[in-house]
Amino acid sequence: MDKFSVLQQYFGHSSFRPGQEQVVDAIVSGQDVLGVMPTGAGKSVCYQVPAMLMPGLTLVISPLISLMQDQVAALEEEGVHAACLNSALPEGLYSTILRAALEGDYKILYVAPERLLTDSFLYLAMHARIAFVAVDEAHCVSQWGQDFRPSYLKIAEFISRLPCRPVIGAFTATATEQVKQDIIALLQLNQPFTLTTGFDRPNLYFGVARPRDKERYIEEYILDHRDRSGIVYCATRKSVESVCKELRSVGISATRYHAGLTPEERSKNQEDFVYDRKRVMVATNAFGMGIDKSNVSFVLHYNMPKNLENYYQEAGRAGRDGERAECILLFSLGDVQTAKYFIQNSHDNDELQAEAAARRDRERLDVMVGYCKTTRCLRSYLLDYFGEHHTGGCGNCSNCTGEFVQTDITTEAQKILSGVARIQKRWPGGLGVVALVQMLRGAKDQKTLERGLDQFPTYGIMRDVPPQRMRLYLDALQEQGYLTETGDEFPVITLTAKAPAVLFHGEQVTMQERAATAQETQAKRRASRKKTAARTALSEADDSLLASLKTLRSELAQKNHVPAYIVFNNVSLDEMAELKPRTMGDFRRISGVGDAKAAKYGEAFIKHIAKWVREHSEEE
Ligand code: ZN
């Protein structure tokens, strides 16, 4: 039998997916492999097909009992003899399986890593002909990985005790360069054929936005994407609650999920979302494992996750149906502080190991922050991190589609660097960013005055620059290597060797920034929605609101003895039904609403809409 007939006969596929065939060829020819491919990219075929082609037994080492059982069931279904050995088996069954394995009854045997060095299993290993060992979730061997398992470190020892060294294949869904090196070294792979594939999801649009008001952004985004289903991820239960409440208050069909809810409510809410009874799921990262909902067309991140692995996994829940979907991360500097706080408090600082873990977490956080701040193609940034090459310029991310302008910030850079230089003259170790910004902006707070920063010649030289913009300059100077921020608990900012070129030799500094800020983009969105509002058919719910608004209009018209259209015309009512203004500010943005009409009718319409929304929101 050749690989194609195995693939067809046992797995029902007529062709291999990209990369699979090379991996199979390498294994069958006796070469070790390292396969890095995400869930759903056809990882198991890469070791199951060789298992069928090679003489003897294939061992698959996997940490997940339920996954092993599923795979065995699937293989049996396909007519492949397979079994799994794990701690969940009753004693009797365990030895029955061992005996059958010895007699050569199975082609594939799944085993948990903890079992490998037990006497009974070693006995089998010594006497059975093991041709190939596939290590699934191979990143568990690395302390740099997210799910380090000490039992994985025993795999190499186990293999070294076999009478004949089998081919080794290591497979994982996510592996950074460091983790890959660990896998190769710790599993003692011999010049492995390495393949990284399947991470690119061309139908996903990636975006980073820095809106001033995140809740507002999310609300408008969802209103803009009528009839679309999506997930909003938040970092904390508290923000899940507040975002969910906010969305419901404007009539969006939303539900929530976090570890603080009862198991009953969690599974009910999850079902509501999966079966499209609720359109939007607001959740912490506790939500999503094992959820298979193909029509998720957006994943918004209210907060930045703590690393890119988590982000890509969560964002990747969008667009499983292959349809175009959007993954947008809402970034704010506060998120960085929150993430740092979590890292500091999730490890016991006394232990050396915990300290190393915290350091790795911080490094991963830096990569995540880099994603939020970079101006290069977001897709290439992501794929680079996961080891898959991409040339950039994908045309389907906010950096590729956004308009960028180069701003000359040499003068600002000189002011800032000069401020840092003066601080370092007094405090050679440097001060924190806040102290620097307060001095440059001429703040009069106690700390600034106590330190005598108001006596510095650089005090107040950037008085007119808003703090947000200051932050952009500082980011740019750090990114371009003129400034460096060090220290975790009390980070200080200092000059680098590159700084004098700007300070004394007039080296030009530029900053790449988006031509359209998040606010402008939102304003555009609002405008375009207004334009289309009248033209697009309103949803059923909005139709019912529209009908009741018309009744209200008639009542007001009669009371004021004017024709109905004088109160508001139909275009205005259509827009009200769709946009559901909540405040006078919102109400004034409705077309056809001037000051006089707002003053005369605004309150009545806003109250009416609020009442309607309350009565029609799906809040139980
Ligand atoms: Zn791009």
Side-chain angles (χ1 to χ4, degrees):
M1 242 184 165
D2 66 8
K3 59 190 174 192
F4 295 107
S5 38
V6 167
L7 187 68
Q8 179 68 57
Q9 183 176 331
Y10 292 104
F11 305 101
H13 303 303
S14 55
S15 61
F16 286 100
R17 294 209 216 154
Q20 282 178 338
E21 191 179 349
Q22 294 138 283
V23 171
V24 169
D25 287 345
I27 294 167
V28 173
S29 74
Q31 192 185 4
D32 288 351
V33 301
L34 169 56
V36 185
M37 36 186 84
T39 318
K43 205 168 41 166
S44 54
V45 162
C46 291
Y47 52 79
Q48 288 170 349
V49 171
M52 300 304 291
L53 292 167
M54 293 161 90
L57 178 67
T58 287
L59 284 188
V60 180
I61 300 172
S62 166
L64 306 166
I65 293 179
S66 61
L67 203 115
M68 288 198 265
Q69 285 163 342
D70 289 353
Q71 291 219 350
V72 168
L75 285 169
E76 288 287 347
E77 197 74 10
E78 288 149 353
V80 178
H81 292 300
C84 81
L85 288 173
N86 58 57
S87 53
L89 288 177
E91 191 59 39
L93 191 53
Y94 188 85
S95 39
T96 310
I97 291 176
L98 271 182
R99 247 192 326 276
L102 259 179
E103 282 159 17
D105 279 0
Y106 306 119
K107 277 311 283 180
I108 302 179
L109 189 62
Y110 283 79
V111 60
E114 297 78 22
R115 296 275 118 190
L116 294 174
L117 292 178
T118 59
D119 289 342
S120 57
F121 192 78
L122 276 173
Y123 182 82
L124 163 73
M126 294 301 160
H127 297 87
R129 184 173 170 200
I130 298 173
F132 173 39
V133 174
V135 183
D136 204 0
E137 313 291 336
H139 60 278
C140 293
V141 79
S142 168
Q143 301 200 36
W144 288 95
Q146 298 207 80
D147 330 281
F148 171 60
R149 284 177 180 245
S151 57
Y152 262 66
L153 293 172
K154 305 228 165 86
I155 295 174
E157 187 191 336
F158 166 76
I159 289 171
S160 72
R161 289 169 75 164
L162 297 177
C164 187
R165 187 193 185 272
V167 179
I168 306 173
F171 298 90
T172 176
T174 77
T176 59
E177 203 42 49
Q178 235 150 4
V179 173
K180 279 193 222 170
Q181 293 310 324
D182 267 5
I183 292 175
I184 292 172
L186 298 171
L187 294 178
Q188 295 172 11
L189 301 185
N190 186 10
Q191 299 187 321
F193 169 73
T194 302
L195 179 88
T196 304
T197 190
F199 283 92
D200 192 11
R201 302 270 311 277
N203 62 317
L204 300 187
Y205 165 92
F206 289 98
V208 173
R210 295 189 187 202
R212 193 162 288 171
D213 182 342
K214 288 183 175 186
E215 283 194 3
R216 180 84 193 230
Y217 181 97
I218 285 178
E219 195 181 298
E220 301 206 333
Y221 180 94
I222 294 172
L223 288 173
D224 268 355
H225 293 74
R226 226 163 243 298
D227 307 324
R228 294 298 177 94
S229 184
I231 305 171
V232 179
Y233 277 110
C234 303
T236 62
R237 297 174 193 183
K238 215 174 120 194
S239 28
V240 167
E241 292 295 338
S242 84
V243 171
C244 186
K245 200 169 149 211
E246 173 70 21
L247 295 182
R248 284 169 171 178
S249 78
V250 292
I252 292 167
S253 151
T255 184
R256 65 202 166 150
Y257 191 102
H258 58 68
L261 302 173
T262 62
E264 294 76 34
E265 184 176 358
R266 279 206 300 272
S267 70
K268 182 190 174 293
N269 293 356
Q270 179 174 317
E271 273 192 14
D272 280 348
F273 178 65
V274 170
Y275 295 108
D276 294 321
R277 292 193 286 264
K278 291 283 160 78
R279 181 159 84 91
V280 177
M281 170 58 88
V282 187
T284 60
N285 62 5
F287 176 76
M289 278 295 180
I291 303 285
D292 192 19
K293 180 171 162 70
S294 63
N295 65 338
V296 174
S297 58
F298 58 85
V299 171
L300 306 180
H301 275 78
Y302 184 75
N303 302 103
M304 179 187 72
K306 63 182 170 127
N307 57 51
L308 213 51
E309 285 92 342
N310 286 10
Y311 179 65
Y312 204 54
Q313 190 175 38
E314 286 156 21
R317 298 199 169 111
R320 293 259 173 89
D321 53 4
E323 292 293 319
R324 190 188 146 78
E326 298 193 336
C327 312
I328 298 173
L329 194 162
L330 305 185
F331 177 66
S332 71
L333 287 161
D335 291 343
V336 184
Q337 293 313 317
T338 311
K340 280 188 177 159
Y341 175 84
F342 275 134
I343 290 172
Q344 238 158 38
N345 291 285
S346 65
H347 300 289
D348 187 354
N349 279 322
D350 294 340
E351 285 175 47
L352 215 66
Q353 273 228 329
E355 215 174 284
R359 194 180 64 236
R360 289 191 291 270
D361 284 353
R362 282 194 295 270
E363 284 176 18
R364 280 201 285 252
L365 176 64
D366 285 344
V367 175
M368 183 73 246
V369 175
Y371 175 81
C372 298
K373 290 184 175 176
T374 187
T375 46
R376 59 180 264 222
C377 170
L378 292 175
R379 186 177 312 276
S380 76
Y381 187 101
L382 282 164
L383 294 177
D384 256 12
Y385 182 68
F386 293 111
E388 190 171 340
H389 178 70
H390 189 278
T391 50
C394 74
N396 195 21
C397 76
S398 58
N399 284 351
C400 285
T401 57
E403 293 283 306
F404 282 95
V405 287
Q406 289 288 344
T407 316
D408 186 319
I409 59 162
T410 310
T411 312
E412 289 83 356
Q414 284 171 339
K415 287 179 179 170
I416 291 170
L417 296 179
S418 148
V420 178
R422 289 188 189 266
I423 286 177
Q424 278 190 267
K425 225 174 185 176
R426 172 86 61 89
W427 296 278
L431 290 180
V433 172
V434 177
L436 172 69
V437 172
Q438 295 291 72
M439 174 191 67
L440 292 171
R441 298 191 66 245
K444 291 191 169 56
D445 61 296
Q446 197 185 343
K447 245 193 170 153
T448 304
L449 301 177
E450 269 172 15
R451 280 173 168 151
L453 288 166
D454 57 327
Q455 301 305 311
F456 280 41
T458 43
Y459 179 77
I461 53 170
M462 300 185 83
R463 207 178 292 275
D464 303 328
V465 181
Q468 281 250 343
R469 187 129 193 100
M470 283 295 293
R471 191 70 229 194
L472 289 180
Y473 293 145
L474 286 165
D475 282 349
L477 290 173
Q478 273 189 58
E479 270 158 25
Q480 294 172 44
Y482 297 109
L483 284 176
T484 176
E485 200 174 4
T486 49
D488 287 314
E489 213 170 333
F490 303 106
V492 289
I493 197 154
T494 50
L495 298 180
T496 69
K498 278 183 78 182
V502 179
L503 273 172
F504 309 118
H505 306 293
E507 183 171 286
Q508 195 197 21
V509 185
T510 60
M511 174 171 85
Q512 192 175 41
E513 58 180 332
R514 287 187 180 83
T517 64
Q519 280 82 35
E520 282 167 328
T521 315
Q522 274 190 293
K524 262 190 248 162
R525 254 175 216 257
R526 241 194 319 268
S528 83
R529 199 173 65 227
K530 270 190 162 186
K531 251 185 273 162
T532 51
R535 270 179 277 132
T536 49
L538 295 174
S539 74
E540 261 177 56
D542 292 346
D543 273 335
S544 105
L545 172 59
L546 182 62
S548 72
L549 287 175
K550 283 183 175 162
T551 314
L552 174 66
R553 177 176 66 178
S554 314
E555 288 166 6
L556 290 171
Q558 275 177 11
K559 210 168 102 188
N560 292 289
H561 309 290
V562 290
Y565 71 87
I566 295 287
V567 178
F568 285 119
N569 65 20
N570 285 342
V571 175
S572 302
L573 289 194
D574 279 349
E575 269 189 33
M576 286 178 212
E578 208 209 5
L579 301 177
K580 303 181 187 62
R582 283 176 301 150
T583 63
M584 198 51 98
D586 290 346
F587 193 73
R588 278 167 197 269
R589 280 194 281 271
I590 300 287
S591 62
V593 178
D595 286 354
K597 282 194 186 177
K600 200 164 182 183
Y601 304 117
E603 213 193 348
F605 277 87
I606 291 170
K607 270 190 180 159
H608 183 90
I609 291 167
K611 183 162 170 272
W612 184 91
V613 168
R614 260 198 318 277
E615 286 166 3
H616 290 76
S617 80
E618 282 146 291
E619 174 97 56
E620 280 84 12

